[in-house]
């Protein structure tokens, strides 16, 4: 059959055309695989550096923790990462005494490195665009947070829209990818079907410099439509 | 029925079943696991004395509230059931290890999924392998899968944007490594009719042009596949993920009447000329992940998935054993155990089991661990594994077995591809005497 294999190979990140040693991979191929897996594993167990947390505070963030006391509990017991630790919601409320329209949340998720690597490039544009859509709450950063942890935070300040940036589960191709979940009027009854997601935010995917405008654009659609569920097609 | 042993007393059969499981993070997350090793073995001891009829007389999940339970009880073969009804679970284990393949095969229609789960809890890893090996399930599409001495693979040519050129490059390279005899099966990013149709066209026309004796599947939601089939998509099989409770299936967007409807459609309009036209995927923990576990342990729920599968005479069934997450199977030890349990339970219930030996990057497992599991399963007669370039799925972001692993497992254990597919490989100069030739491993050999 006629098919341009080399063109096909170049159009996929799949590890093709790597040859073999007997039935096994060549040495360099095998080591490259292990290097990428090591990066992914390290990303999962990474935590925000004290310097990054200081920079978040300097940007005006309130930094809180989920109910997961450490990374191991976070990995093994996802429900803990979906709720805030004791008294943490009070801290959020103290900083945002008035109702707000939009609440921004940043979590480490399954790759703390992702936020540390890309968030600061994305934030100024995102903030500028979101401000046009309504009052912003004091931004909240959550250690050991999962996607749903933004729901109680946004609900506590009466936000109509939660915008949650979170480190995605690392694959071998990317260990530093951010995702963004947008949820209209989040609350205890919110499910994952009620969210819109922008994924693969990193320099080789959706560029962090452009992601802020993309996210705010979807936020605007959600606010206009009055829903972030399956009834809103993007 | 006694619910006490070694100084422990249990409140229900359901509690005994959960606590008799080998350690699984998912049972701990559900709050139903044994508190410690002594309680675990006490639960196993209680379970070993239970008669199999208890699972019919006191169903773990009442047929009044769960349509799967109704289907399982209605499908039970009376004569076969009468043979086993009075056996204890411990006696069933010994029959599985001591009796002939022929006599064990006759028991299958008399067993409920819960019985398969119960006996798995009493078996060691080697027990699970040996019993599964005695219970082969051979099925025929364009290739014959599950026959003695054969090991097949699914080429899984996923692409992060469903790019056809990239998908075909992965497919052709997989074929050149002797992979793809089970199915050319792609997980689409875009679960819409046009996307499914486009991928089915590309894979089926490639298969036809090269005259490859295998099947084509696009693993979208079954409702999408049904609509794609109506518009003429050349699908050989219907695929669907299934769960072990009615509620879990609702979370997957299916119920048995929908599967019945789909079954009629694929038998009428599917491309494959075979009585087996389904592909099902399962995996321990999926029910808990949708809060639809009904208090049952994940091994029992997994066995119930195979109960669903066998209602529809599938060509392919595989557990995606390490994909659901570390909150259900934390590390390599748990994944290896679960892979052997799943393969055994499926084979005992008569479904043609393959296994996606895999892990995500937030589990405590690596490629060495799933290579170990693949060797154990291949020795136990597993029908097929996944075959992905270097085991790295660049769309689903997890790792599984590779093109290279297929060749290595066949070489190590003296296994061959599906017979029809081996003939095809020989005709293309990619295989001789069951071994890859120098031409193999380069897609250009097929162009």
């Amino acid at each position: 059959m006629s098919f341009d294999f080399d063109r096909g190979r170049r159009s996929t990140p799949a590890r093709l055309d790597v040859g073999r040693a007997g039935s096994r991979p060549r040495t360099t191929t095998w080591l490259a695989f292990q290097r990428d897996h090591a990066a992914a594993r390290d990303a999962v167990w990474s935590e925000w550096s004290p310097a990054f947390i200081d920079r978040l505070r300097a940007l005006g963030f309130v930094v809180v923790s989920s109910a997961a006391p450490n990374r191991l509990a976070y990995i093994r017991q996802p429900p803990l990462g979906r709720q805030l630790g004791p008294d943490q919601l009070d801290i959020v409320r103290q900083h945002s005494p008035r109702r707000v329209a939009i609440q921004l949340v940043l979590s480490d998720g399954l790759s703390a490195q992702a936020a540390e690597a890309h968030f600061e490039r994305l934030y100024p544009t995102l903030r500028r665009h979101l401000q046009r859509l309504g009052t912003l709450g004091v931004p909240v950063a959550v250690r050991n947070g999962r996607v749903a942890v933004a729901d109680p935070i946004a609900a506590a300040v009466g936000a109509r829209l939660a915008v949650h940036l979170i480190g995605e589960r690392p694959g071998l191709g990317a260990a530093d990818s951010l995702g963004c979940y947008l949820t209209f009027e989040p609350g205890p009854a919110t499910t994952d079907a009620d969210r819109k997601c922008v994924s693969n935010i990193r320099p080789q995917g959706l560029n962090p410099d452009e992601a802020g405008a993309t996210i705010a654009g979807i936020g605007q659609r959600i606010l206009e439509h009055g829903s972030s569920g399956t009834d809103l097609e993007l | 029925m006694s619910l006490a042993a070694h100084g422990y007393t249990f409140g229900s059969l359901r509690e005994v079943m959960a606590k008799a499981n080998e350690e699984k993070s998912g049972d701990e997350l559900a709050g139903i696991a044994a508190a410690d090793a002594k309680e675990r073995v006490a639960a196993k001891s209680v379970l070993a004395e239970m008669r199999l009829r208890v699972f019919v007389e006191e169903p773990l999940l009442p047929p009044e509230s769960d349509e799967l339970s109704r289907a399982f009880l209605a499908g039970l073969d009376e004569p076969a059931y009468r043979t086993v009804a009075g056996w204890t679970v411990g006696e069933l284990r010994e029959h599985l290890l001591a009796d002939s393949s022929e006599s064990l095969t006759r028991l299958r229609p008399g067993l409920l999924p819960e019985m398969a789960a119960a006996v798995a809890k009493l078996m060691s890893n080697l027990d699970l392998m040996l019993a599964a090996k005695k219970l082969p399930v051979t099925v025929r599409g364009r290739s014959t899968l599950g026959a003695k001495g054969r090991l097949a693979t699914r080429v899984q040519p996923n692409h992060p944007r469903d790019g056809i050129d990239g998908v075909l490059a992965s497919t052709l390279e997989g074929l050149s490594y002797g992979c793809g005899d089970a199915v050319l099966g792609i997980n689409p990013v875009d679960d819409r009719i046009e996307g499914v149709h486009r991928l089915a066209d590309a894979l089926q026309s490639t298969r036809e042009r090269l005259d490859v004796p295998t099947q084509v599947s696009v693993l979208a939601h079954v409702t999408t596949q049904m609509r794609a089939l109506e518009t003429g998509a050349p699908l050989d099989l219907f695929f669907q993920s299934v769960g072990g409770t009615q509620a879990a299936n609702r979370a997957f967007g299916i119920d048995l009447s929908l599967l019945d409807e789909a079954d009629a459609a694929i038998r009428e309009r599917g491309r494959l000329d075979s009585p087996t036209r389904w592909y099902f995927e399962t995996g321990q923990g999926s029910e808990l992940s949708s809060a639809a576990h009904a208090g049952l342990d994940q091994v029992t729920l997994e066995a119930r998935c195979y109960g669903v599968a066998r209602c529809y005479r599938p060509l392919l069934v595989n557990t995606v054993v390490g994909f659901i997450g570390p909150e259900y199977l934390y590390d390599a030890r748990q994944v290896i155990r679960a892979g052997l349990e799943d393969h055994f339970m499926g084979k005992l219930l008569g479904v043609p089991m393959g296994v996606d030996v895999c892990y995500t990057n937030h589990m405590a497992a690596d490629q060495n661990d799933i290579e170990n599991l693949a060797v154990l399963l291949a020795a136990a007669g597993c029908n097929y594994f996944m075959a992905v370039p270097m085991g790295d799925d660049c769309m689903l972001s997890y790792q599984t077995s590779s093109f290279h692993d297929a060749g290595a497992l066949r070489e190590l254990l003296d296994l061959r591809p599906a017979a029809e597919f081996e003939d095809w490989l020989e005709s293309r100069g990619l295989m001789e005497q069951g071994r890859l030739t120098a031409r193999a491993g380069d897609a250009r050999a097929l162009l």
Side-chain angles (χ1 to χ4, degrees):
Chain A
M1 62 178 276
S2 77
F3 174 72
D4 187 342
F5 176 74
D6 289 299
R7 194 181 68 184
R9 177 175 62 82
R10 284 193 301 271
S11 73
T12 174
R15 293 168 196 251
L16 293 177
D17 209 21
V18 296
R20 57 194 177 94
S23 59
R24 301 305 293 155
R26 307 279 307 272
T27 305
T28 49
T29 319
W30 172 228
L31 290 174
F33 176 97
Q34 289 185 292
R35 182 192 63 214
D36 293 343
H37 182 235
R41 293 277 296 158
D42 288 349
V44 166
W45 292 95
S46 66
E47 298 183 32
W48 287 337
S49 68
F52 180 64
I53 291 174
D54 286 346
R55 296 204 299 277
L56 287 175
R57 289 205 169 103
L59 287 169
F61 273 78
V62 180
V63 182
V64 296
S65 296
S66 79
N70 52 51
R71 276 319 263 179
L72 182 62
Y74 174 76
I75 298 287
R76 287 190 68 134
Q77 298 177 67
L80 294 180
R82 296 183 192 124
Q83 34 185 300
L84 287 179
D87 308 328
Q88 302 291 290
L89 210 52
D90 294 336
I91 298 173
V92 172
R93 284 199 196 94
Q94 281 160 22
H95 284 83
S96 274
R98 279 184 298 277
R99 288 179 67 86
V100 303
I102 300 166
Q103 178 62 48
L104 181 73
V105 179
L106 175 70
S107 291
D108 44 9
L110 282 165
S111 171
Q113 289 173 5
E116 193 150 349
H118 309 310
F119 178 70
E120 287 153 289
R121 271 178 64 190
L122 178 157
Y123 183 57
T125 323
L126 176 65
R127 185 172 177 79
R128 199 172 63 244
H129 280 89
L130 287 179
Q131 268 168 342
R132 293 182 195 141
L133 304 178
T135 343
L136 294 191
V138 173
V140 177
V142 186
R143 279 180 290 206
N144 294 320
R146 293 205 181 245
V147 171
V149 81
D151 300 348
I153 295 172
V157 298
R160 292 185 71 213
L161 177 67
V163 177
H164 187 189
L165 285 144
I166 184 166
E168 294 184 328
R169 176 163 65 83
L172 294 205
D176 62 345
S177 182
L178 270 175
C180 183
Y181 291 83
L182 297 101
T183 314
F184 185 74
E185 293 184 349
T190 301
T191 71
D192 287 341
D194 300 323
R195 310 183 199 285
K196 292 295 180 215
C197 176
V198 177
S199 65
N200 198 27
I201 302 169
R202 60 191 177 103
Q204 300 79 11
L206 174 59
N207 197 303
D209 297 328
E210 297 159 17
T214 306
I215 292 165
I218 294 171
Q220 184 173 1
R221 294 279 312 280
I222 290 170
L223 288 169
E224 285 164 4
H225 186 73
S227 164
S228 51
T230 46
D231 56 320
L232 173 62
E233 282 211 23
L234 296 174
Chain B
M1 172 166 91
S2 166
L3 291 172
H6 307 189
Y8 289 87
T9 303
F10 302 96
S12 64
L13 177 57
R14 176 183 289 232
E15 184 185 346
V16 171
M17 287 287 272
K19 292 187 170 174
N21 266 356
E22 293 295 296
E23 196 177 331
K24 302 280 173 61
S25 53
D27 291 332
E28 289 164 17
L29 182 64
I32 57 175
D36 55 33
K38 281 190 299 195
E39 189 183 25
R40 176 168 294 122
V41 76
K44 288 179 196 283
S45 303
V46 169
L47 186 57
E49 299 303 317
M50 297 271 177
R51 307 239 168 243
L52 295 180
R53 71 163 72 92
V54 74
F55 295 102
V56 172
E57 292 166 1
E58 299 170 43
L60 287 171
L61 206 51
E64 297 77 26
S65 62
D66 187 283
E67 65 169 358
L68 273 56
S69 296
R70 287 199 289 282
F72 300 158
L73 287 166
L76 203 60
D77 179 75
E78 263 308 309
Y81 170 61
R82 272 199 300 276
T83 309
V84 300
W87 294 0
T88 64
V89 179
E91 285 166 351
L92 174 59
R93 174 182 171 274
E94 295 189 357
H95 278 286
L96 288 167
L97 298 171
D99 292 1
S100 72
S101 186
E102 293 70 29
S103 67
L104 293 178
T105 303
R106 284 195 294 273
L107 302 179
R108 272 182 180 141
L111 296 173
L112 283 179
E114 288 81 356
M115 299 173 189
V119 73
K121 296 164 198 278
L122 302 186
M123 295 170 78
S124 78
N125 287 6
L126 191 53
D127 291 351
L128 294 169
M129 293 168 60
L130 205 58
K133 178 101 180 178
K134 288 207 261 180
L135 289 156
V137 181
T138 305
V139 284
R140 284 182 186 81
R142 293 189 189 93
S143 50
T144 302
L145 306 173
K148 194 173 178 330
R150 305 283 171 176
L151 174 64
T153 58
R154 162 188 164 190
V155 163
Q156 181 171 306
N158 295 347
H159 185 279
R161 292 176 306 280
D162 293 340
I164 295 290
D165 283 349
V167 167
L168 292 183
S170 291
T171 303
L172 291 167
E173 183 168 308
L175 291 169
S176 80
Y177 273 93
C179 297
D181 36 352
V183 64
L184 310 177
I186 186 163
N187 299 89
V189 180
D190 178 3
D191 196 297
R192 285 182 295 187
I193 303 167
E194 304 74 32
V196 170
H197 203 133
R198 203 169 58 97
L199 288 167
D201 275 338
L203 289 174
Q204 191 67 271
S205 64
T206 300
R207 189 200 69 74
E208 285 171 356
R209 264 180 289 164
L210 293 171
D211 199 22
V212 191
T214 187
Q215 293 67 232
V216 166
S217 178
V218 182
L219 287 72
H221 193 269
V222 69
T223 51
T224 314
Q225 294 170 79
M226 287 165 78
R227 291 201 292 269
L229 190 71
E230 278 170 21
T231 61
L235 290 165
D236 289 320
L237 307 167
F238 270 163
F239 165 84
Q240 182 55 43
S241 293
V242 291
T245 64
Q246 181 177 332
N249 282 330
R250 195 180 307 128
F252 279 129
I254 59 165
D255 58 26
L256 296 183
S257 69
L258 177 66
L259 293 182
D260 290 342
E261 192 188 326
D263 189 59
I266 192 69
R267 290 189 194 289
E268 188 189 326
R269 286 196 293 280
R271 283 291 173 98
L272 186 65
D273 181 18
S274 161
T276 56
R277 299 189 185 193
W278 277 97
Y279 176 5
F280 293 110
E281 278 190 349
T282 68
Q284 288 190 28
S286 70
E287 296 85 2
L288 180 58
S289 77
S290 58
H293 60 297
L296 296 186
D297 69 273
Q298 63 189 38
V299 174
T300 302
L301 292 165
E302 181 70 11
R304 290 171 57 90
C305 295
Y306 307 135
V308 175
R310 86 170 160 180
C311 294
Y312 296 94
R313 289 188 297 168
L315 181 75
L316 305 161
V317 177
N318 64 260
T319 171
V320 192
V321 68
F323 187 74
I324 320 287
E327 60 268 41
Y328 310 106
L329 296 171
Y330 179 66
D331 57 13
R333 193 168 186 269
Q334 295 187 13
V335 167
I336 287 171
R337 175 70 194 181
L340 297 176
E341 287 168 344
D342 294 356
H343 175 250
F344 160 77
M345 294 191 297
K347 288 284 176 74
L348 178 56
L349 293 169
V351 303
M353 282 300 291
V355 176
D356 188 345
V357 294
C358 62
Y359 61 103
T360 56
N361 291 317
H362 56 327
M363 288 173 60
D366 63 18
Q367 208 69 16
N368 289 331
D369 297 312
I370 61 157
E371 287 178 5
N372 289 351
L373 176 56
V375 171
L376 299 179
L377 285 166
C382 185
N383 283 27
Y384 66 96
F385 296 117
M386 307 302 123
V388 170
M390 282 302 292
D392 169 18
D393 189 306
C394 59
M395 191 278 268
L396 293 170
S397 287
Y398 79 121
Q399 288 86 248
T400 178
S401 43
S402 68
F403 296 163
H404 295 81
D405 293 345
L409 290 164
R410 287 168 178 160
E411 189 177 339
L412 183 69
L413 297 168
D414 199 22
L415 298 167
R416 294 189 174 203
E420 303 84 351
F421 192 83
E422 184 182 355
D423 290 345
W424 178 81
L425 289 169
E426 286 188 359
S427 75
R428 294 279 166 169
L430 296 168
M431 186 167 270
E432 279 170 16
Q433 309 288 323
R435 292 287 158 263
L436 296 174
T437 64
R439 284 164 61 88
D442 186 346
R444 296 168 192 89
L446 289 167
L447 300 175

